[in-house]
């Protein structure tokens, strides 16, 4: 029999039960649900709303149920709809009368709101910890390749020299923002909806500050209608995870390109690559491709919940039961992708000679050549034109700028001297880019040091 069967004259249709029940997925919230119920029962006892001995019996009963669930000894039923009614039913079956007093001054609406908030609050540090590990990996790999010159691209066309370290640290910068975004979401979500009741608070003399404190919230939410209706924190988490996945998928795309024979900048470790069932030569970057693919799925999770919430009148509507699966899915996806991706980057073999070779073609020192002339007094715009002509000539003849002889160079500008060859060396071009944030090794060392400090403060 259902806890709410009082005003009903018929059994619920079996298909309606299936549609209505959320226990298949919200069973995952049992820890939060029990913690919330314990705090509520203790408050009811302390405020004299129920007898202290009943409160004690409820707390003891809930703790025993928790032990049994943890040990896998409890089977939930679809008949009892969701985790809240399953646990309440179990409690009353175990402790009798007192169990029926737990739901005084409470509704499943504020109950689920507090459970879900605590769930999100608990997952954020897990993801932040994983990102901190990944940041450490990026710093280590960057440290190894501080002087490894590679072509930097715009429009996927070779543009200017950077180092592999700078590339990695660019991704590290994105992940640092993902961390602070999650931490920001964490700060804002930490207010307690418990005590909002079904929507309109309660006539009982409850102490919302007490339950908020007991559950480690900064305080109670200020409006009971908002308390049961707000899912912003779930949407914020999903938004953070979407941006994080977007970052991973960009790096995934790079790794996929870098693994190709066309680039061959990296080779994945055998443990982080897969083969083909027909082509014996294949070693595929499936990890990177799956992360790229799963990004779409996490975006879908955000869109699903945004759309479910759109147009909902206050306060609780059953549509909101649809909040859990997308959040669970996105959290599971991210918590699987981040450590695997991190391990893939940690173990991949970097091929700096191939990077250097690629950097040697495509005139990525053309800007530096123009800068050379500018340093010798020519206005940059003129220098740009002179070098453009040199590049066009070289491209026709299949040569590079540094292969031109001094007479060939001076024939276009008398400002060229012997020291141009040093200026055109890619190592010089990279190392001279000492501007704040640039690829010069000193600048990268600063970025690595700052990022390592950031990550160390957050590693588990
Ligand atoms: N299982 C429900 C959910 O996840 C709990 C709240 C039910 N409230 C209600 N008024 N039916 O949203």
């Amino acid at each position: 029999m259902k806890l709410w069967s009082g005003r009903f004259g018929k059994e619920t249709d079996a298909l309606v039960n299936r549609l209505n029940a959320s226990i298949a997925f919200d069973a995952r919230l049992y820890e939060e649900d029990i913690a919330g119920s314990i705090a509520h029962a203790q408050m009811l006892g302390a405020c004299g709303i129920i007898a202290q001995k009943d409160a004690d019996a409820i707390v003891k009963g809930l703790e025993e149920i928790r032990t049994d669930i943890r040990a896998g000894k409890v089977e939930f039923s679809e008949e009892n709809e969701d985790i809240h009614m399953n646990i309440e039913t179990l409690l009353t079956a175990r402790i009798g009368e007192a169990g029926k007093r737990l739901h005084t001054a409470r509704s499943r609406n504020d109950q689920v709101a507090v459970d879900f908030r605590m769930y999100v609050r608990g997952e954020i540090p897990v993801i932040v910890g994983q990102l901190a590990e990944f940041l450490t990996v990026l710093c280590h790999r960057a440290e190894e390749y501080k002087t490894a010159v590679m072509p930097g691209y715009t429009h996927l066309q070779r543009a200017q020299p950077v180092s592999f370290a700078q590339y990695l640290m660019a991704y590290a910068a994105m992940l640092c923002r993902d961390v602070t975004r999650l931490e920001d979401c964490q700060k804002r979500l930490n207010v307690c909806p418990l005590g909002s009741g079904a929507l309109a608070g309660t006539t009982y003399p409850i102490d919302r500050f007490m339950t908020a404190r007991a559950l480690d919230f900064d305080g109670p939410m200020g409006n009971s209608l908002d308390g049961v209706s707000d899912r912003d924190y779930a949407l914020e988490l999903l938004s953070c995870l979407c941006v994080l996945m977007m970052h991973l998928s960009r790096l995934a795309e790079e790794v996929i390109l870098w693994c190709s024979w066309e680039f061959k900048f990296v080779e994945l470790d055998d443990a982080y690559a897969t083969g083909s069932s027909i082509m014996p030569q294949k070693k595929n970057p499936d990890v990177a491709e799956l992360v790229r693919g799963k990004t779409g799925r996490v975006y879908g999770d955000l869109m699903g919940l945004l759309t479910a919430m759109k147009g909902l009148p206050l306060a609780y509507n059953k549509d909101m039961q649809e909040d859990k699966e997308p959040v669970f899915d996105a959290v599971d996806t991210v918590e699987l992708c981040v450590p695997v991706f991190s391990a893939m980057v940690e173990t991949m073999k970097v091929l700096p000679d191939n990077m250097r070779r690629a950097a040697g073609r495509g005139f990525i020192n053309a800007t530096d050549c123009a800068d050379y002339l500018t340093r010798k007094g020519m206005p940059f715009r003129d220098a740009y034109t002179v070098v453009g002509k040199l590049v066009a000539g070289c491209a026709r003849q299949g040569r590079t700028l540094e292969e031109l002889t001094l007479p060939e160079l001076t024939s276009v500008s008398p400002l060229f001297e012997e020291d141009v060859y040093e200026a055109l060396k890619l190592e010089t071009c990279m190392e001279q880019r000492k501007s704040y944030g640039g690829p010069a090794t000193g600048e990268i060392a600063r970025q690595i040091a700052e990022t390592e400090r950031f990550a160390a403060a957050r590693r588990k």
Side-chain angles (χ1 to χ4, degrees):
M1 218 193 26
K2 289 196 159 53
L3 284 177
W4 44 254
S5 63
R7 63 104 71 211
F8 287 79
K10 258 189 188 175
E11 282 292 297
T12 320
D13 177 82
L15 281 178
V16 172
N17 264 343
R18 245 176 69 195
L19 176 68
N20 197 35
S22 54
I23 187 64
F25 49 87
D26 68 15
R28 197 165 157 160
L29 296 175
Y30 78 86
E31 290 280 353
E32 290 81 3
D33 195 71
I34 290 175
S37 289
I38 288 176
H40 181 66
Q42 281 167 338
M43 181 278 291
L44 291 178
C47 295
I49 298 168
I50 64 173
Q52 191 56 48
K53 67 164 185 9
D54 286 341
D56 294 342
I58 291 170
V59 171
K60 188 159 165 285
L62 287 170
E63 284 169 351
E64 284 168 14
I65 291 170
R66 180 164 60 194
T67 306
D68 289 351
I69 301 176
R70 283 179 185 162
K73 288 195 221 148
V74 173
E75 234 183 86
F76 297 120
S77 81
E78 200 171 76
E79 177 64 20
N80 285 320
E81 237 179 276
D82 54 26
I83 188 63
H84 325 295
M85 295 209 296
N86 265 276
I87 289 177
E88 192 186 328
T89 306
L90 279 170
L91 179 70
T92 302
R94 289 190 185 197
I95 69 168
E97 224 31 38
K100 293 196 254 172
R101 300 190 190 278
L102 168 62
H103 214 53
T104 314
R106 186 178 70 168
S107 155
R108 272 187 297 157
N109 298 350
D110 56 345
Q111 190 177 355
V112 72
V114 75
D115 290 4
F116 200 37
R117 219 172 255 268
M118 288 194 285
Y119 167 80
V120 170
R121 185 176 71 178
E123 294 307 320
I124 289 175
V126 175
I127 298 169
V128 166
Q130 289 182 334
L131 289 174
E133 294 292 337
F134 191 8
L135 282 169
T136 308
V137 165
L138 288 170
C139 288
H140 288 167
R141 304 267 26 207
E143 189 63 47
E144 281 176 75
Y145 296 102
K146 271 205 290 221
T147 57
V149 178
M150 73 178 273
Y153 301 83
T154 63
H155 314 272
L156 206 55
Q157 302 286 318
R158 290 171 192 169
Q160 288 177 346
V162 298
S163 68
F164 188 56
Q166 195 193 17
Y167 228 97
L168 295 178
M169 293 316 291
Y171 281 98
M174 300 175 215
L175 298 184
C176 287
R177 286 196 296 275
D178 291 323
V179 167
T180 51
R181 246 188 296 277
L182 285 164
E183 289 172 346
D184 188 40
C185 165
Q186 181 83 316
K187 277 180 222 144
R188 202 169 13 257
L189 74 74
N190 204 33
V191 280
C192 186
L194 190 61
S196 295
L199 71 162
T202 177
T203 53
Y204 295 96
I206 59 171
D207 184 349
R208 291 194 59 199
F209 289 86
M210 179 179 172
T211 41
R213 222 175 307 115
L215 296 171
D216 279 325
F217 284 99
D218 300 331
M221 289 180 76
N223 180 301
S224 66
L225 287 172
D226 181 49
V228 291
S229 311
D230 174 34
R231 294 294 183 274
D232 291 1
Y233 57 95
L235 291 167
E236 281 191 38
L237 172 71
L238 288 173
S239 309
C240 294
L241 298 185
C242 282
V243 177
L244 162 61
M245 287 300 289
M246 179 271 286
H247 291 150
L248 292 188
S249 103
R250 291 184 74 171
L251 183 53
E253 174 69 14
E254 310 262 22
V255 169
I256 293 161
L257 287 171
W258 293 342
C259 288
S260 70
W261 282 102
E262 284 69 15
F263 279 78
K264 263 291 164 256
F265 286 0
V266 303
E267 197 182 315
L268 295 181
D269 188 84
D270 281 356
Y272 294 93
T274 47
S276 152
S277 59
I278 170 171
M279 297 168 280
Q281 85 283 13
K282 290 292 285 272
K283 184 167 173 184
N284 295 328
D286 289 24
V287 169
E289 289 171 340
L290 282 166
V291 167
R292 190 175 58 181
K294 283 177 190 292
T295 301
R297 169 182 181 137
V298 175
Y299 289 5
D301 292 327
L302 171 63
M303 284 308 134
L305 184 55
L306 273 176
T307 312
M309 293 303 294
K310 171 188 171 298
L312 289 189
L314 297 181
Y316 180 84
N317 300 271
K318 196 64 174 247
D319 315 45
M320 290 160 72
Q321 179 164 286
E322 292 293 309
D323 59 359
K324 286 162 212 76
E325 287 162 292
V327 170
F328 292 155
D329 182 68
V331 166
D332 290 345
T333 303
V334 166
E335 290 182 4
L336 179 61
C337 288
V338 174
V340 178
F341 206 89
S342 168
M344 179 188 73
V345 171
E346 187 171 22
T347 55
M348 74 189 180
K349 187 164 152 203
V350 179
L351 303 167
D353 293 345
N354 292 350
M355 294 177 176
R356 178 67 180 74
R357 210 169 303 126
R361 294 270 146 200
F363 306 101
I364 71 172
N365 51 4
T367 315
D368 303 82
C369 189
D371 289 341
Y372 170 89
L373 291 173
T374 307
R375 272 198 304 278
K376 302 247 166 175
M378 192 184 286
F380 177 78
R381 194 45 69 206
D382 295 340
Y384 173 97
T385 309
V386 167
V387 177
K389 287 202 180 107
L390 286 174
V391 166
C394 284
R396 268 195 305 277
Q397 301 166 12
R399 296 164 79 193
T400 64
L401 288 173
E402 56 276 31
E403 281 166 12
L404 296 173
T405 62
L406 198 53
E408 284 173 310
L409 288 168
T410 46
S411 74
V412 295
S413 167
L415 293 175
F416 281 117
E417 292 173 280
E418 192 57 43
D419 61 353
V420 67
Y421 295 106
E422 184 59 34
L424 288 182
K425 271 195 202 144
L426 292 184
E427 287 68 21
T428 315
C429 299
M430 192 190 87
E431 202 51 63
Q432 286 313 310
R433 296 173 179 277
K434 294 190 179 69
S435 52
Y436 191 85
T441 48
E443 264 308 297
I444 295 305
R446 173 191 61 77
Q447 294 177 39
I448 294 174
E450 285 175 11
T451 308
E452 270 179 338
R453 233 174 296 127
F454 179 94
R458 290 160 173 91
R459 264 198 313 264
K460 290 272 151 285

